[in-house]
Amino acid sequence: MGTTLTTWRFWREGYIRPRLSLLCAVFALIGSATGANLALLVADRVFKIILLFILPLTALYVFRSKSLGAEGRAPLSPGRTTAVACALALVLGVYDGFYGPGTGTFLILTLTGLAHMHLNDAAGTTKVINLSTNVAALVTYLINGRVLLPLGLAAGLFGIAGNWLGARSFSKNGAKIVKPLIGVVLAVFFARTLWDMLA
């Protein structure tokens, strides 16, 4: 619910490249549906163990980088940018459908770092991919009766508020707010994953 609101706002702000985002959305839908179906069959403990190693490395990458975005990097050709972005949408779509937390952060980092996208373009593309994976996973879980609707709707309302505030801050501050916010998200995500493992 919140991602839908932010995607619409980023569209109005001009951060979304329609053709690239649409292609990424197709791959994200395939990946997310695959991941959601895997989640119905496999325990998520393996993913959590892997994340305990990935998250500190991700934080190190974020804080060692002078900037997020394509600044200082040679841009890829349009074809290579599209290929890399679609591959990332597929892989992270599987992750989002299977487990989910931190997908937006991983998308921002990989789209800027591997696809050499400008931060604004990466943010817009991230929202389209994230919305696609959320829809695919939600439909899969609804079909299998795994959604607590009252809890989901309540969380969705808070998600709308959080996404609205986040989109407003990004529009005003851009890169200034992204790096520290990603750091906070990674720290909280690491602590929560570790807690889940030990509890």
Side-chain angles (χ1 to χ4, degrees), residues 73-170:
R73 298 187 182 95
L76 302 179
S77 67
R80 287 189 65 185
T81 298
T82 300
V84 173
C86 287
L88 293 171
L90 179 65
V91 172
L92 288 170
V94 173
Y95 166 76
D96 197 19
F98 188 98
Y99 189 53
T103 301
T105 299
F106 293 139
L107 281 167
I108 285 279
L109 292 174
T110 53
L111 288 172
T112 55
L114 299 179
H116 294 196
M117 294 177 66
H118 187 277
L119 181 59
N120 288 351
D121 292 333
T125 306
T126 290
K127 286 303 173 185
V128 174
I129 293 172
N130 225 346
L131 179 59
S132 302
T133 57
N134 289 349
V135 169
L138 177 60
V139 170
T140 301
Y141 291 132
L142 281 170
I143 290 173
N144 288 274
R146 298 296 183 90
V147 179
L148 301 176
L149 286 175
L151 178 61
L153 290 172
L157 293 175
F158 282 91
I160 288 174
N163 274 269
W164 183 82
L165 290 172
R168 186 177 181 181
S169 297
F170 183 83

Side-chain angles (χ1 to χ4, degrees), residues 8 10 14 17 48-49 52 60 63-64 82 88 96 101 111 117 126 139-140 142 147 164 170-171 185 189 198:
W8 172 75
F10 276 28
R17 293 159 57 178
K48 291 180 179 179
I49 293 173
L52 289 178
L60 182 63
F63 289 104
R64 288 192 64 183
T82 300
L88 293 171
D96 197 19
L111 288 172
M117 294 177 66
T126 290
V139 170
T140 301
L142 281 170
V147 179
W164 183 82
F170 183 83
S171 297
V185 170
F189 189 20
L198 298 177

